[in-house]
Structure formats: C-alpha cells, structure tokens
C-alpha cells in the first residue's frame, strides 16, 4: 500500500509538471503571435523595414538578391542595375548582421520571392571578436526566429489593443530596394591592410558551419551564389582575402574582392567612402554595382524587364534615385577623430 501511495504521488507530480509545461508552451506560442509585427513598416514594429521591403514587392518578382551587413546595403545599388540591365534586385542586408541572421532573412525572402542569383557579402563571416561571442550571436539569432517575442518584446509600448491578433499585412516597399543612400564624402587616410603577406585568417568554425547551411539552402532552391567582399578599408584584410579565395577555389565558387580590383573599378578612398573607409557612399556603390552588373550579365541570363508594365514603379523610382545622385557631394574635412581604427567585420551602421 505504501508503494502504491508513493507511485500515486509521483504520478500526480508528473501530471502537474506536464500541465505546467503545456500551459507555459501555449502561453509562449500565443505571446509570440501577439508580439510578431503585423505590418512590415517601422510603425508596426518591424526591425529594419528597408531590409524587408521585398515583402512589399509583387510575389516572385525579384530575380537577384544581395545578402550582407551594412557594407552591402551601402555598396550595392538596385536602382543602378535596374536602369542599366532591367534586372529587378533587392539588397536584404542589415547592419551588424551575422550568418544566422542572414540565414533567417533568406528564409523570409523565400516565403515570397524566388531569386535566380544571390550575391553574398562575406564580410559577416568574421563578425564578432571571439568564437564565444560568435556562438552567442548565432544562438541569439536562432532564438529570434523561433521565439520572436525575444526580438520584439518592446513592441508592447506601441501596440493597440486589437493589434496582437491581426493577420500579417506586409506591404511596405523601399524605393531604393534596400540601399542606404549617402552623398557624403569622408576620405580614408589610414594604413593599407591589403598588402600581400603570408598570413591567413581562416573563416571561424561557427560561421563556416552556418554559411554552408545557407549555401545548401540556395542549392535546394535553385539559387546560384556569387561571393563578394565589398570595399572596406577598416574591417577587411589581406589575410581574410587569402582565406576566402582558398574557400571559393575549393568549392568551385566565384569570389569577387573589390578591395583588390585595379583600373576603372578600383575604389578611390578619397572620394568613394562616406565615413572614412568603413562604408561606400552612393558614388562608390555605383562603381561596385557597375562591375557586378557587367559580371552577372556576362555569366548569367536575366530578362530585361524595364518595359514590363508590372515593373512601372521601378522606372519611376529610378528617376528619384537619379535626381538624388545629381545633387552635389557633401565633402567633410578629415581630422584625427575621423580616422577609423581596424575593426571587426559587420561593425557599422
């Protein structure tokens, strides 16, 4: 009898534990649904709405995708490549992005778009100062995807009473298709970190693991991948160039490092940077995109859609981009405080 009573108590405790777990899980699911933004604009609580303006584009209308951190959204111009080649593209990049965050955005893109080619800015592969920090950042971004209340917990400040259970209405559009425009010119006056050496800065193991998951996802969805390193005089080094070049060669992939180009596509660090060498301004971006457009149209087939009535708004917004680009550059005098110290990939706006 004593044994039966003990077993009975144990069963009751187990049942209570199960009920608690079920209730907690149910509450968590409900709260995640409530706190997930219902619109894709800033007012709706969406993080980085410009990076997610692809939701507002017509379904399956984007042929070329660019993923990366702030270096990418400063250095790639969808409007320039639209006018030159009629290719609808989007730069779905975020400041301080890491590889799991990029993988999450790719999943979001695939909900509504089916790009043929993806350009991946490899700068984020070295995001973080240590393996511990990189691992923590990866875990955080995994939680952001599966437990969105962690990411959007502050949304309660601006939520209305009935907002939590509305259906998603992601219609926000970015007229620049994700590019961050700037006419500022602040030269880079620091050391040249692209001088050849025997040093190799290998891709950190944790980012390499998730990077290869991203590549497999692209392969599964029929997306061709081009690797690039956008021009940056502060966070990129020749040792990283060597490591990335070796990886690309081993996996038979294209890698374009804009920090090594010469001739008319070479970056002028006295004119093409907005903030002393970390990011491109819109004039440097035009140079980067011109090279990419030439490479892409020589190696892949894209339909020119400039005369497609479904893309009429792209022509209108190119006119706005052109008007912006015709304005005068804003020159900023360099002083000692403007000289950027060598930083980590992904550090920026």
């Amino acid at each position: 009898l004593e044994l039966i009573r003990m077993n009975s108590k144990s069963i009751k405790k187990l049942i209570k534990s199960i009920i608690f777990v079920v209730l907690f899980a149910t509450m968590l699911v409900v709260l995640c649904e409530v706190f997930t933004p219902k619109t894709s604009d800033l007012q709706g609580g969406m993080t980085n709405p410009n990076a997610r303006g692809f939701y507002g584009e017509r379904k399956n209308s984007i042929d070329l995708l660019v993923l990366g951190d702030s270096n990418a959204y400063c250095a790639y111009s969808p409007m320039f490549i639209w006018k030159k080649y009629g290719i609808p593209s989007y730069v779905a990049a975020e400041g301080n992005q890491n590889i799991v965050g990029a993988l999450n955005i790719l999943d979001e893109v695939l909900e509504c778009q089916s790009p043929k080619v993806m350009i991946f800015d490899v700068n984020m592969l070295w995001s973080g100062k240590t393996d511990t920090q990189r691992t923590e950042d990866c875990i955080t971004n995994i939680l952001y995807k599966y437990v969105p209340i962690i990411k959007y917990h502050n949304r309660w400040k601006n939520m209305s009473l009935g907002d939590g259970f509305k259906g998603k209405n992601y219609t926000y559009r970015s007229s620049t298709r994700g590019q961050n425009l700037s006419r500022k010119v602040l030269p880079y006056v620091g050391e040249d970190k692209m001088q050849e050496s025997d040093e190799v800065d290998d891709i950190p193991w944790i980012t390499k693991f998730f990077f290869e998951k991203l590549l497999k996802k692209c392969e599964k969805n029929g997306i061709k991948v081009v690797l690039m390193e956008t021009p940056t005089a502060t966070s990129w080094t020749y040792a990283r160039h060597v490591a990335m070049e070796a990886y690309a060669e081993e996996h038979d992939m294209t890698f374009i490092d804009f920090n090594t180009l010469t001739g008319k596509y070479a970056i002028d660090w006295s004119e093409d940077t907005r903030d002393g060498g970390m990011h491109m301004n819109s004039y440097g971006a035009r140079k980067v995109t011109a090279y990419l457009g030439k490479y892409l149209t020589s190696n892949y087939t894209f339909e020119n859609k400039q005369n497609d009535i479904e893309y009429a708004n792209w022509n209108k917004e190119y006119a706005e981009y052109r008007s912006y680009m015709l304005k005068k550059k804003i020159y900023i005098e360099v002083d000692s405080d403007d000289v950027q110290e060598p930083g980590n990939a992904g550090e920026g706006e």
Side-chain angles (χ1 to χ4, degrees):
L1 289 175
E2 184 66 26
L3 182 62
I4 293 173
R5 281 196 292 268
M6 288 178 62
N7 286 338
S8 177
K9 288 180 180 179
S10 297
I11 291 171
K12 286 180 180 179
K13 285 182 179 179
L14 178 61
I15 292 173
K16 286 181 180 179
S17 297
I18 292 172
I19 292 173
F20 173 80
V21 170
V22 170
L23 289 175
F24 178 80
T26 302
M27 183 177 67
L28 187 62
V29 169
V30 171
L31 287 174
C32 284
E33 174 61 28
V34 168
F35 279 81
T36 297
K38 302 306 184 290
T39 61
S40 53
D41 53 10
L42 199 59
Q43 291 75 19
M46 178 62 77
T47 302
N48 298 318
N50 278 349
R52 290 171 171 77
F54 52 81
Y55 280 119
E57 299 295 330
R58 194 164 44 85
K59 189 172 183 179
N60 297 327
S61 63
I62 300 297
D63 292 338
L64 173 62
L65 175 69
V66 179
L67 285 186
D69 55 23
S70 59
N71 289 1
Y73 69 56
C74 292
Y76 178 79
S77 175
M79 287 292 100
F80 179 90
I81 210 167
W82 169 257
K83 179 61 177 178
K84 185 78 173 177
Y85 302 105
I87 301 172
S89 63
Y90 205 96
V91 52
E94 298 183 285
N96 297 308
Q97 184 63 282
N98 85 335
I99 184 61
V100 176
L103 192 53
N104 290 347
I105 279 204
L106 178 59
D107 284 338
E108 292 184 56
V109 169
L110 293 176
E111 290 178 15
C112 56
Q113 302 294 339
S114 53
K116 298 175 177 66
V117 178
M118 182 186 77
I119 300 171
F120 183 85
D121 186 350
V122 301
N123 195 59
M124 75 171 74
L125 296 182
W126 281 265
S127 178
K129 296 180 179 180
T130 65
D131 281 344
T132 299
Q133 183 183 341
R134 295 181 187 108
T135 302
E136 289 174 351
D137 289 343
C138 288
I139 292 171
T140 297
N141 277 277
I142 291 171
L143 290 173
Y144 282 169
K145 178 177 180 179
Y146 294 105
V147 192
I149 190 174
I150 296 174
K151 184 176 184 178
Y152 295 111
H153 63 277
N154 282 326
R155 233 172 58 77
W156 65 270
K157 298 176 183 178
N158 301 312
M159 286 173 58
S160 61
L161 190 60
D163 183 48
F165 295 100
K166 288 181 180 177
K168 290 181 181 178
N169 185 27
Y170 288 178
T171 57
Y172 172 79
R173 294 177 61 256
S174 165
S175 63
T176 65
R177 279 24 181 223
Q179 183 185 8
N180 189 299
L181 297 173
S182 175
R183 292 182 290 110
K184 292 181 180 179
V185 177
L186 179 60
Y188 175 67
V189 294
E191 64 175 321
D192 179 10
K193 301 201 296 300
M194 291 304 294
Q195 293 189 15
E196 293 188 19
S197 72
D198 295 329
E199 293 183 18
V200 179
D201 186 359
D202 288 323
I203 303 172
W205 70 270
I206 185 69
T207 54
K208 185 176 180 181
F209 174 80
F210 286 106
F211 177 50
E212 293 183 342
K213 282 186 172 294
L214 182 142
L215 294 178
K216 286 178 182 177
K217 187 171 294 261
C218 287
E219 182 180 6
K220 181 181 177 181
N221 287 275
I223 304 172
K224 304 297 183 183
V225 179
V226 175
L227 306 176
M228 75 166 176
E229 171 55 31
T230 49
T232 176
T234 60
S235 65
W236 192 247
T237 64
Y238 189 78
R240 292 178 179 179
H241 166 82
V242 172
M244 201 66 237
E245 196 170 52
Y247 183 92
E249 184 175 349
E250 180 185 350
H251 293 82
D252 194 26
M253 301 181 73
T254 298
F255 173 49
I256 304 169
D257 189 343
F258 283 93
N259 297 279
T260 63
L261 296 187
T262 58
K264 69 177 183 178
Y265 295 109
I267 296 303
D268 180 351
W269 290 109
S270 68
E271 287 282 331
D272 295 334
T273 174
R274 67 204 292 173
D275 54 8
M278 184 172 287
H279 301 99
M280 291 288 91
N281 56 30
S282 296
Y283 311 101
R286 186 167 55 187
K287 190 181 292 184
V288 170
T289 311
Y291 183 94
L292 283 173
K294 185 176 179 180
Y295 174 83
L296 290 168
T297 53
S298 297
N299 291 275
Y300 302 94
T301 301
F302 292 94
E303 180 185 351
N304 187 325
K305 296 180 177 176
Q306 284 179 345
N307 295 321
D308 187 332
I309 192 169
E310 297 282 1
Y311 290 87
N313 58 325
W314 286 69
N315 294 319
K316 174 180 175 293
E317 281 147 353
Y318 169 77
E320 296 173 1
Y321 164 80
R322 182 174 182 274
S323 176
Y324 178 89
M325 293 296 290
L326 288 173
K327 295 177 182 178
K328 291 182 179 180
K329 295 181 181 180
I330 304 168
Y331 286 92
I332 302 172
E333 187 176 349
V334 180
D335 59 36
S336 58
D337 292 334
D338 295 320
V339 179
Q340 295 284 348
E341 294 296 326
N344 290 287
E347 290 182 349
E349 297 180 347

